[in-house]
């Protein structure tokens, strides 16, 4: 069950950037959203939300600070630390 209608798909990350094999899909979505904004005057945008994934060597940064984490139980994972990223389309308010 999806929690939000804003979710589109998941991309793999490599060194803080979208993996080349997933980059084309992301660019198509960005171009589509941009074109719809121009046509309709809407203010939607594409956002990537990082996910750690299993056995990520950066996971320790996101543990509670008292256990040695840097960010504490952060809700947002930095893209350079992410193994994958979920792609969402939001409306700017």
């Amino acid at each position: 069950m999806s929690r939000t209608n804003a979710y589109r798909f998941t991309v793999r990350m490599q060194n803080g950037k979208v993996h080349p094999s997933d980059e084309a899909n992301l660019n198509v979505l960005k171009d589509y959203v941009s074109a719809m904004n121009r046509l309709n005057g809407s203010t939607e945008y594409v956002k990537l939300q990082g996910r750690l994934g299993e056995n990520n060597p950066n996971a320790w940064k996101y543990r509670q600070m008292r256990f040695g984490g840097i960010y504490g139980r952060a809700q947002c994972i930095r893209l350079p630390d992410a193994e994958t990223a979920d792609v969402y389309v939001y409306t700017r308010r």
Side-chain angles (χ1 to χ4, degrees):
M1 182 173 139
S2 179
R3 293 184 183 191
T4 177
N5 293 331
Y7 173 80
R8 296 300 183 258
F9 51 88
T10 300
V11 294
R12 289 171 289 164
M13 301 297 292
Q14 182 178 30
N15 300 323
K17 300 197 183 301
V18 176
H19 192 277
S21 64
D22 293 330
E23 197 168 18
N25 290 337
L26 181 61
N27 288 337
V28 167
L29 178 63
K30 285 181 175 180
D31 291 343
Y32 174 77
V33 168
S34 180
M36 293 307 290
N37 284 343
R38 282 192 302 275
L39 274 171
N40 300 333
S42 57
T43 56
E44 293 185 333
Y45 65 99
V46 176
K47 182 175 181 182
L48 273 63
Q49 300 266 99
R51 293 176 57 193
L52 286 173
E54 290 186 32
N55 302 320
N56 188 315
N58 295 305
W60 67 272
K61 297 177 186 177
Y62 298 91
R63 292 192 185 105
Q64 291 183 11
M65 289 187 171
R66 67 180 180 202
F67 296 120
I70 294 174
Y71 304 115
R73 300 176 57 188
Q75 296 297 312
C76 296
I77 306 300
R78 296 175 54 226
L79 293 179
D81 294 337
E83 185 175 302
T84 61
D86 289 337
V87 179
Y88 295 89
V89 175
Y90 291 118
T91 301
R92 196 173 308 279
R93 298 182 193 263

